[in-house]
Structure formats: C-alpha cells, structure tokens
Amino acid sequence: QYFFLRALVGKEIKWWIGYIISGTFCLYASLNLWLLFIAHFIYVLISNRKVLFPYFISSVLIILGYFPWLISVFNNQNEIKDALAWHEWYGINQNVFTLILAQLYFAAYSFVTFNDFLAQANMFRDLQFEGNYIQLIFNILMIGLLIISIYYTYKRAEKKVFTYILLIIVPQFLYFLLTDIVRQTGISLIWRYNNLALIGFIFYLAFLFYHKITLNQKAFFITFVVFTSLGIISNFYMSDKYYYNMYEKEITNSALLSTCEKPLLISDFKTVFAGGDAAGTLALTNACKSDKIDILRVKPNIQNITAYFDSSKYSNLYVLHASEELINNLKLQLGEKMDSIQIDGFVNEWQILNK
C-alpha cells in the first residue's frame, strides 16, 4: 500500500521498484492478497490512468516473481482442494443474506472479542444462539459504528480517498461471497480471512474518530476510549479463557500437567486436535500453565523407551494423547508400570509409575 501510494504521488522509479519487491513478497505471504492488486488496478483506471503503463509493467514483474510458486499451486490443485474441504463445514445453512451479514458481523467481532469464535460461528451455521449477550451487543454496536464511519468518510473526505479505501474492502467482500455461493462453503464466517477488508474498515474508523475528536466532540472521544480499552482487555481475557483446540480433554490434560511439580509427557500426539500437527500440538502446550513440563515426542514403534529419560528427575510420567500403537508398545516394554489414569474425564490416558 505504502509503495503504491508513493508511486502514484512521487512518480519515481524507486517507488515502483519498492512496489514490485513488496508486492511479490505479499503474494508469497498470502495468496488472498492478489485481491489487493485488483483494487490497485481498478483505482488506477478510475483516478490515475497516467501511471497505467508503469503499473502494468510492475504487475507483470510481480507475477513473474510469484510464478515459481504459482506452478506449484497449479500442480497440487487436488491436494489444496482436499486441504480446504473443511470450509464446507461453515457453509451449512448459508445463503446470500447470511454470508453478507457474516462478513460484517465478524469484522465487528475482530475489534472486541469476549466469546469463542466457534460459538459465534454456530449462530450462522446451526442457526442457534450459543454466544453471550455482551458479545452480541458489542458486535451490533460495532456494525453500526462501521456503517456510520463509511457514510461520514463518503461525505467529508476527498472522493479519491473514499474510493481507495472502499476498493480495499469490496474485492475481498465479493470474492468471498461468490466463492462461498459456488463452492457451498462459509469462508465469509472465518474472521481471520477477512484481514484485508478489516484494514479498510480501520481506515474509515480512523477518519471518523480523528475528525470528530479534533472537533472536540466528547461523545466520540469517550466511544474511542471505551472500545479501545475493551478491545485490549478482551485480548487478555480470550488468551486466558479459550484455547485453540476442539477437544475438551486437551484442556483437562493441560490442567493435569500444570498442577504437577516436574512432569514428563510422553506421546506421539496422534489423538490431539488435527491429528497431532503443529497447530494441534502447539495448542496443547499453549494451554499448559507451567514452564516445568518436559515433552518427549516419540514414534509409535519406539524401542527401549527408558533410555530416553531419567525418571528420577521427574515427579510424574504421563502418556497422554497417544495412539493405540504407542500405548500397546509401552505396555509390552513397561508391564505393570503402565497404569491407567483413574480420574473423571480421562479415557485411555496413562501414567508410568515412577518407582
């Protein structure tokens, strides 16, 4: 954005070079950012056709820079489609109206977050209220504030400014809406995908509050302070209350590990959310409240397990989130030392008797 605007104003080659380099890196960071280049193209056609030629050359060079990865994307289309199949879960019970409302609703949700995302998404997916009223009220108020900021910017700002910001929002809005309708998915509900449109909404809000506060309108100053404070507080609240996982036992197991003096967790993490991939494993460790937990990640067919740790250094030895193959393997190696955990809420979770 910065290099593009400087290139339009300064019309120096160094800004176009910066645009080419940053633009190429943007596409490697997220393929969704190609929508930003569509916005830039439309803006050039509407307001500044004199730079159409350098813009076209820059765009071609950006595409060439991204071409190696584009070939990989083309060659792995089926794998990518399979990896994104979970988007269909959010597409249940969706129509044009709910998808449009969802994009506005979750844009508002991004500012003040006091409730788990899945509880909010279930209102659209299952058509039932599972969130909390505080979150619902703030989302409605925030949607109203977003609409007011758009209207105010339209009335008070230069038309080029309003148009530029609008073009940040509209391409992503339409792309998500149309792809959801065609693919019968619900990516419009996934708030972290809407980061590009969120930038546009922030610009509109910034323009509204800046003008109103400089005019010494205290109501807007108070509104700004309240929403900013609540946004910061909600981040701390959410980080402490909710965890990025789907299984209740992961929270239970994390609580068990956190209460121990010096535990060792042995696992292949096959029953962790998402099959033990990086996200699921990090979610489990992030839910732990202690820094004294050691983790030994092993393969299911590990041999001579006791050679990998000194049991005298640990207060507890646990085998949690393990596959049946690993559990049976450790039973053969450790015999009666492998003991099932007899606590409510624990199913097929084990401890190694440290005697």
Side-chain angles (χ1 to χ4, degrees):
Q1 298 273 34
Y2 173 77
F3 286 110
F4 175 70
L5 292 175
R6 290 302 300 263
L8 293 184
V9 177
K11 300 179 181 179
E12 298 179 41
I13 191 171
K14 65 179 180 181
W15 300 121
W16 288 113
I17 293 173
Y19 182 68
I20 294 167
I21 295 172
S22 61
T24 303
F25 284 145
C26 276
L27 288 179
Y28 277 102
S30 174
L31 187 56
N32 282 340
L33 289 177
W34 69 270
L35 296 167
L36 189 60
F37 294 97
I38 290 181
H40 290 171
F41 175 67
I42 296 173
Y43 184 77
V44 168
L45 285 179
I46 293 174
S47 65
N48 201 339
R49 294 188 180 182
K50 293 180 180 179
V51 299
L52 188 59
F53 179 73
Y55 174 79
F56 175 77
I57 298 298
S58 299
S59 299
V60 170
L61 292 176
I62 289 172
I63 294 172
L64 290 176
Y66 187 68
F67 199 70
W69 189 250
L70 201 60
I71 294 174
S72 178
V73 170
F74 180 80
N75 291 335
N76 295 277
Q77 294 180 67
N78 293 332
E79 290 84 351
I80 293 172
K81 289 179 181 178
D82 291 340
L84 298 178
W86 61 275
H87 288 168
E88 296 176 4
W89 184 88
Y90 290 97
I92 297 173
N93 293 325
Q94 302 307 315
N95 55 51
V96 174
F97 173 76
T98 59
L99 291 171
I100 292 174
L101 179 60
Q103 291 204 45
L104 288 172
Y105 188 85
F106 286 104
Y109 171 80
S110 302
F111 290 93
V112 179
T113 308
F114 280 111
N115 191 230
D116 182 34
F117 161 70
L118 287 176
Q120 296 293 304
N122 284 342
M123 291 195 298
F124 290 87
R125 181 187 180 275
D126 300 329
L127 305 179
Q128 61 184 16
F129 183 73
E130 294 185 3
N132 61 50
Y133 289 104
I134 294 176
Q135 183 67 63
L136 180 64
I137 291 170
F138 274 110
N139 284 356
I140 293 173
L141 291 174
M142 198 68 212
I143 290 173
L145 196 57
L146 291 174
I147 294 173
I148 291 172
S149 68
I150 294 172
Y151 178 76
Y152 187 84
T153 307
Y154 171 75
K155 297 294 289 186
R156 297 300 180 90
E158 293 182 27
K159 290 299 178 279
K160 285 186 177 182
V161 173
F162 175 82
T163 302
Y164 183 79
I165 300 175
L166 187 65
L167 287 173
I168 297 175
I169 299 172
V170 171
Q172 178 182 287
F173 187 89
L174 292 177
Y175 172 70
F176 284 2
L177 179 63
L178 293 174
T179 53
D180 280 341
I181 293 172
V182 173
R183 295 174 55 217
Q184 296 184 330
T185 55
I187 58 176
S188 295
L189 278 65
I190 307 174
W191 66 274
R192 67 178 185 271
Y193 285 179
N194 293 321
N195 52 3
L196 191 57
L198 187 61
I199 293 172
F201 285 126
I202 290 173
F203 283 151
Y204 281 135
L205 286 171
F207 184 86
L208 170 67
F209 281 113
Y210 173 77
H211 274 254
K212 291 295 186 180
I213 291 173
T214 53
L215 292 174
N216 200 29
Q217 296 192 14
K218 295 182 179 179
F220 280 90
F221 175 76
I222 294 172
T223 302
F224 175 78
V225 171
V226 169
F227 272 90
T228 302
S229 301
L230 287 173
I232 295 172
I233 292 170
S234 69
N235 284 333
F236 286 102
Y237 173 80
M238 290 294 291
S239 64
D240 183 65
K241 184 174 176 61
Y242 294 103
Y243 311 103
Y244 177 74
N245 58 55
M246 298 289 288
Y247 303 144
E248 183 65 29
K249 74 174 183 177
E250 294 174 12
I251 300 176
T252 305
N253 288 350
S254 299
L256 173 67
L257 292 168
S258 299
T259 59
C260 298
E261 181 181 349
K262 179 63 177 177
L264 173 66
L265 170 61
I266 303 171
S267 182
D268 56 2
F269 295 100
K270 293 299 183 182
T271 63
V272 171
F273 169 62
D277 66 359
T281 304
L282 287 173
L284 172 66
T285 56
N286 184 58
C288 294
K289 300 299 182 181
S290 172
D291 293 327
K292 297 180 179 180
I293 304 168
D294 285 351
I295 297 176
L296 177 61
R297 184 163 191 163
V298 299
K299 293 182 178 180
N301 61 351
I302 182 74
Q303 298 299 314
N304 195 19
I305 185 67
T306 55
Y308 290 88
F309 60 91
D310 182 356
S311 61
S312 64
K313 293 182 178 181
Y314 297 101
S315 60
N316 305 84
L317 304 172
Y318 290 113
V319 180
L320 309 174
H321 303 292
S323 63
E324 287 291 339
E325 183 181 354
L326 176 59
I327 292 171
N328 292 331
N329 179 19
L330 295 182
K331 284 181 180 179
L332 290 174
Q333 294 187 49
L334 301 171
E336 294 182 356
K337 286 188 175 182
M338 276 285 286
D339 184 41
S340 177
I341 299 177
Q342 302 298 323
I343 305 176
D344 290 342
F346 287 82
V347 179
N348 204 22
E349 308 288 20
W350 300 77
Q351 61 182 333
I352 300 173
L353 299 178
N354 194 4
K355 297 181 179 178

